[in-house]
Amino acid sequence: ACTVDSCNAINGCEYTTLSNCCGNNLCEAGESSSSCPQDCLAGPFIINGGTGCGGGCYFEEGIFLDMEAKGMAISIDTITVLLFPNGNSDRLEVWTRSGTYEGNGVSGWIQVADVSILSSQNFDFFAVPESDFTSVLIPAGQTQAFYITVNDNNVSFSGILYQAGTGVGNVHKENSDIKLFEGQVAQYPFGSLTYAGKIVGSFTYSREIAALSAAPTAAPTAAPTDAPQSGANSDPIILG
């Protein structure tokens, strides 16, 4: 561990982060992506919410979910979802907002992807090209909401596949960087929240590495000299 922990009855517990310690979420002088990947390797990484429909999948036009960045800031760079498209005019949309989706309605959402999908991709995993996805920065310790949905233009019965959840807000998947929570499904666009659901798909992300360089050394002072300084006056000073 890279903390010094102390507890008392007055102040409770305090956790002081140690410097020069691999695992303190700082890429420090002397550390590298090979010697300390947990601090210095930026990515890309993947947190996988499901690789298929083992145990059964359900269908809905969209899903809301929350994600939390743990010890360091992360950047969500694209997503992959399991699709159920029926029409060739369908589009996959991804929206996001800071904080949780619960209780926030339709306010504060920003669209970060809007891409065409085809009926031939039925029951296929679809990765949004990074060039079509605006990266989403999540500060350390903060929650970010996502709304992933299919716009079928009311001409087909399309959506994404998900698995039944155990409870809204329960942790679905977790690694050293991210908590991915169970969400709720809804119709397009921004429909009423219904069943608890677990996304079948993944998020590709990178770490926002906090890099520390070696502390600068003080410049050496000039060596003393016995020579008189310019402008010095050798005349005595008379007091009184």
Side-chain angles (χ1 to χ4, degrees):
C2 288
T3 59
V4 174
D5 306 335
S6 61
C7 298
N8 59 63
I10 298 175
N11 298 321
C13 293
E14 297 180 349
Y15 308 96
T16 304
T17 300
L18 296 173
S19 59
N20 299 315
C21 180
C22 182
N24 64 2
N25 296 326
L26 295 171
C27 189
E28 297 168 295
E31 295 179 342
S32 67
S33 59
S34 57
S35 66
C36 186
Q38 58 265 56
D39 288 349
C40 298
L41 188 61
F45 303 98
I46 292 175
I47 184 165
N48 207 323
T51 57
C53 285
C57 279
Y58 297 85
F59 158 86
E60 188 49 275
E61 289 177 331
I63 186 169
F64 290 85
L65 57 86
D66 290 339
M67 178 184 295
E68 178 188 317
K70 296 170 75 172
M72 67 175 68
I74 61 169
S75 172
I76 302 298
D77 299 320
T78 190
I79 68 164
T80 299
V81 292
L82 187 58
L83 291 176
F84 185 77
N86 278 319
N88 286 328
S89 61
D90 297 346
R91 301 189 68 83
L92 179 69
E93 299 179 10
V94 183
W95 298 75
T96 190
R97 58 160 295 134
S98 60
T100 178
Y101 72 87
E102 294 185 80
N104 280 315
V106 299
S107 65
W109 291 91
I110 299 172
Q111 190 176 59
V112 293
D114 180 7
V115 293
S116 177
I117 53 178
L118 303 174
S119 60
S120 60
Q121 293 165 314
N122 209 337
F123 287 98
D124 281 346
F125 281 99
F126 175 76
V128 177
E130 289 194 27
S131 58
D132 293 323
F133 190 95
T134 302
S135 295
V136 180
L137 179 66
I138 309 177
Q142 299 299 305
T143 298
Q144 190 80 16
F146 290 88
Y147 173 45
I148 305 157
T149 188
V150 170
N151 178 4
D152 63 8
N153 295 293
N154 296 316
V155 297
S156 64
F157 189 62
S158 303
I160 63 173
L161 294 167
Y162 71 97
Q163 291 190 305
T166 59
V168 174
N170 287 350
V171 175
H172 173 33
K173 297 290 181 180
E174 182 177 7
N175 63 18
S176 60
D177 299 317
I178 293 173
K179 284 184 180 180
L180 179 62
F181 298 96
E182 296 185 18
Q184 288 173 275
V185 296
Q187 293 183 339
Y188 181 89
F190 291 93
S192 298
L193 301 172
T194 58
Y195 304 109
K198 297 185 288 189
I199 189 170
V200 180
S202 61
F203 292 79
T204 300
Y205 69 96
S206 54
R207 296 169 176 161
E208 295 297 301
I209 299 297
L212 296 182
S213 59
T217 58
T221 57
T225 176
D226 293 330
Q229 297 180 0
S230 175
N233 190 334
S234 59
D235 293 337
I237 298 174
I238 300 175
L239 301 176

